[in-house]
Amino acid sequence: MTVFSVRHAESDDDRALLERLWQLFRHDMSAYSRQLPRPDGTFRSERLRAAFTEPDWAAYLFRLHGHPAGFALVRNLTGPGPIVLNSYFLVNAARRQGHGLPAALEVVRRHPGDWEVAYQDANTAAVAFWPRVARAAGGDGWKLEHRPVPDRPEVPADVWISFTVPPTTV
């Protein structure tokens, strides 16, 4: 039995599950984005909605021992420009157990090409994690760049890591 799995999320059940995980993700990210929930207590979810309605997006669901453990949202699959890992999340119980790197690599290797991932300098786990992913996915040819957050001058610039995932040979 596979302990940790990554699969493309497509069904209505997958979407409902990801909507619940999304709230946990946005709660975690509010420490860096400084965004509060809406008056009804939920966080905005336009990106999650796009992953199920837009043709150049994909959603991936992670499971640990059959339980929901996280997700990844990918956009710009049809270009032009790099593919973007828009959102990446593991529940706390699945973190620091060796699942994050293989999950991220499985997602990016499904879509060879140029990639970008944004994170925040204050997120020390992400600062350590994403260069490891970039190195494992594409070697030492990755780079970092700080970019202002659009329409959010009050928050620190995001760090963008860029790397290339080569096609796999079978």
Side-chain angles (χ1 to χ4, degrees):
M1 178 177 125
T2 303
V3 173
F4 193 89
S5 65
V6 176
R7 71 172 179 79
H8 190 238
E10 300 178 281
S11 72
D12 289 341
D13 288 342
D14 292 341
R15 184 175 180 167
L17 175 57
L18 287 175
E19 285 172 353
R20 291 185 292 277
L21 291 173
W22 179 262
Q23 294 302 309
L24 299 173
F25 165 68
R26 292 307 306 167
H27 171 265
D28 278 5
M29 293 305 299
S30 71
Y32 312 107
S33 69
R34 301 181 189 157
Q35 290 184 330
L36 295 170
R38 295 178 295 196
D40 69 356
T42 63
F43 289 93
R44 295 174 43 199
S45 59
E46 294 86 3
R47 288 186 241 158
L48 178 61
R49 192 170 25 261
F52 284 91
T53 60
E54 299 298 322
D56 64 341
W57 285 69
Y60 293 93
L61 178 60
F62 307 154
R63 289 191 175 270
L64 179 60
H65 299 292
H67 295 271
F71 65 85
L73 303 183
V74 177
R75 67 177 167 86
N76 206 36
L77 291 170
T78 58
I83 302 165
V84 177
L85 186 61
N86 191 49
S87 304
Y88 183 86
F89 174 70
L90 285 177
V91 298
N92 283 334
R95 295 177 188 169
R96 291 168 192 75
Q97 297 182 31
H99 304 302
L101 180 62
L105 290 173
E106 186 167 336
V107 169
V108 300
R109 287 177 176 156
R110 289 182 185 205
H111 307 282
D114 295 332
W115 277 83
E116 290 187 336
V117 180
Y119 57 91
Q120 296 72 38
D121 276 323
N123 185 343
T124 56
V127 169
F129 179 73
W130 288 110
R132 287 181 42 226
V133 172
R135 200 172 300 109
D140 292 328
W142 55 275
K143 67 176 185 169
L144 294 177
E145 175 185 8
H146 285 79
R147 298 180 197 165
V149 178
D151 303 319
R152 302 285 318 272
E154 74 280 8
V155 299
D158 283 338
V159 179
W160 284 82
I161 189 166
S162 303
F163 55 95
T164 300
V165 177
T168 57
T169 56
V170 179

